[in-house]
């Protein structure tokens, strides 16, 4: 068996951070404090965040993380927490949903059960189509829809999303899982249309180049973000050092130079409620759930 030490360690830290996060999410708590504390826990346990903690509420499926002066507070929402860790670039990626409203327990169950049903069929040779079919059938058995344009994904060193793309519905894709693959599977269930689209202002970014820029702050920011090794980062990770208006200008010129890409929050197109569950795996003779 290959040396999976970093992957196992990263996954274990992600799962510890996930369990810790469950103690923080309660009505009245600020999203910003919770995100900061989860990321601090990841570092305390010896990893780096693989991406900013995603805290996505209700019809937002993913890619929201608190902004520097975020005032959002937990109340009666459907809360998705998506946690990423990096140990020397080996990624742990895990997510869960808490229903603070008390009205969406079936929706939460649908994505949880979809994930556990996939785990039952996961082995070398399982096809992507079979995984998608299992997710779709499980979620539909609850009367909900899978979110079709979100998918599980391969994980690689310093890469959170790589091939294969693992569908959340039956695509009949005959591609088989191979020995040694590191992947994340993340069913999303909704009472909406089953599709997401980009919304509002992006708060998560990643570096995509190192092309020269004229603006002084942009040059400094480029140097700072190189520490993230092209993994996604949050605006709030940089506002200790730069004011927000300066950062905004720097991001604009970095984006124009092709050095930066952004990930806007993803909203369900019919404003449906969304739930999510996710684990990371190593495909071996006996599949390992790392998170
Ligand atoms: Co993921």
């Amino acid at each position: 068996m290959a040396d999976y030490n970093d992957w196992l360690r990263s996954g274990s830290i992600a799962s510890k951070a996930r369990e810790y996060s469950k103690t923080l999410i309660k009505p009245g708590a600020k999203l910003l404090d919770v995100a900061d504390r989860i990321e601090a826990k990841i570092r305390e346990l010896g990893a780096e965040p693989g991406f900013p903690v995603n805290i996505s509420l209700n019809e937002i499926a993913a890619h929201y993380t608190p902004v520097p002066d975020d005032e959002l507070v937990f109340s009666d929402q459907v809360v998705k927490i998506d946690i990423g860790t990096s140990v020397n670039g080996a990624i742990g990626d895990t997510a869960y949903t808490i229903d603070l409203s008390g009205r969406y327990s079936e929706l939460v169950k649908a994505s949880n059960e979809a994930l556990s049903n996939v785990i039952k069929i996961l082995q070398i040779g399982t096809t992507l189509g079979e995984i998608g079919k299992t997710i779709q059938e499980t979620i539909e058995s609850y009367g909900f829809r899978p979110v079709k344009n979100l998918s599980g994904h391969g994980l690689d060193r310093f890469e959170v999303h790589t091939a294969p793309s693992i569908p959340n519905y039956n695509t009949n894709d005959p591609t088989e899982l191979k020995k040694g693959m590191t992947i994340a599977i993340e069913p999303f269930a909704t009472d909406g249309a089953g599709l997401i689209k980009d919304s509002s202002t992006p708060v998560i970014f990643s570096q995509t180049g190192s092309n020269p820029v004229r603006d002084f702050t942009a040059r400094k920011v480029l140097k700072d973000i190189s520490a993230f090794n092209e993994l996604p980062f949050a605006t709030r990770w940089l506002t200790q050092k730069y004011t927000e208006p300066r950062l905004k200008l720097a991001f604009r010129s970095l984006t124009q130079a092709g050095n930066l890409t952004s990930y806007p929050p993803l909203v369900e197109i019919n404003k449906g409620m969304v739930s999510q569950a996710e684990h990371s795996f190593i495909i071996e003779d006996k599949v390992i759930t790392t998170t």
Side-chain angles (χ1 to χ4, degrees):
M1 199 163 91
D3 177 7
Y4 292 126
N5 282 338
D6 287 348
W7 294 90
L8 296 172
R9 205 155 148 258
S10 191
S12 150
I13 292 172
S15 77
K16 282 179 188 146
R18 179 191 64 226
E19 294 314 304
Y20 168 70
S21 76
K22 290 177 182 172
T23 68
L24 305 176
I25 294 152
K26 42 189 100 164
K30 286 177 78 172
L31 273 67
L32 179 59
D33 293 339
V34 169
D36 284 344
R37 289 173 72 177
I38 297 170
E39 288 165 2
K41 175 61 81 177
I42 289 170
R43 294 191 171 101
E44 180 194 313
L45 293 170
E48 288 295 321
F51 49 82
V53 173
N54 285 208
I55 306 182
S56 306
L57 305 178
N58 298 338
E59 70 275 11
I60 304 295
H63 295 177
Y64 186 78
T65 199
V67 294
D69 48 3
D70 206 303
E71 291 296 332
L72 283 173
V73 168
F74 292 107
S75 55
D76 61 347
Q77 308 101 341
V78 172
V79 181
K80 276 84 60 193
I81 303 286
D82 196 337
I83 293 172
T85 49
S86 162
V87 171
N88 299 318
I91 306 291
D93 189 357
T94 184
Y96 68 98
T97 305
I98 290 188
D99 170 31
L100 293 175
S101 78
R103 287 177 287 127
Y104 290 94
S105 59
E106 290 295 293
L107 187 67
V108 175
K109 261 200 227 163
S111 48
N112 281 341
E113 198 178 305
L115 183 56
S116 46
N117 285 343
V118 169
I119 291 173
K120 287 180 198 155
I121 62 158
L122 214 52
Q123 57 181 6
I124 296 168
T126 304
T127 68
L128 301 181
E130 284 171 306
I131 295 173
K133 182 170 186 274
T134 301
I135 291 172
Q136 179 169 14
E137 283 177 356
T138 307
I139 290 174
E140 286 179 352
S141 77
Y142 279 84
F144 301 116
R145 294 194 168 107
V147 176
K148 287 188 169 180
N149 55 348
L150 282 174
S151 36
H153 47 92
L155 301 165
D156 215 334
R157 294 252 177 197
F158 295 108
E159 273 190 78
V160 181
H161 285 114
T162 182
S165 171
I166 303 171
N168 282 330
Y169 65 104
N170 187 9
T171 55
N172 290 307
D173 186 338
T175 309
E176 294 180 357
L177 295 181
K178 291 190 191 68
K179 189 180 168 91
M181 274 184 167
T182 43
I183 59 168
I185 295 178
E186 49 182 325
F188 288 81
T190 182
D191 59 4
L195 291 170
I196 50 88
K197 62 177 183 186
D198 288 354
S199 80
S200 62
T201 316
V203 284
I204 300 174
F205 299 85
S206 73
Q207 188 183 348
T208 48
S210 303
N211 303 313
V213 280
R214 300 246 293 271
D215 176 66
F216 179 69
T217 313
R219 281 212 299 271
K220 282 212 299 190
V221 170
L222 187 59
K223 205 169 160 220
D224 286 337
I225 65 174
S226 69
F228 306 134
N229 289 295
E230 299 185 3
L231 288 172
F233 61 90
T235 315
R236 67 186 151 77
W237 292 0
L238 295 163
T239 42
Q240 309 281 0
K241 209 167 159 185
Y242 306 96
T243 64
E244 268 189 87
R246 286 205 144 246
L247 211 48
K248 233 176 221 163
L249 286 173
F251 280 9
R252 191 180 302 162
S253 76
L254 290 172
T255 304
Q256 279 164 0
N259 293 334
L260 210 56
T261 189
S262 66
Y263 307 92
L266 302 171
V267 64
E268 212 287 324
I269 62 165
N270 281 359
K271 295 263 163 87
M273 208 48 99
V274 181
S275 71
Q276 174 197 19
E278 180 176 27
H279 277 304
S280 299
F281 306 90
I282 302 171
I283 305 303
E284 267 295 331
D285 293 326
K286 196 174 179 321
V287 170
I288 303 162
T289 305
T290 64
T291 55

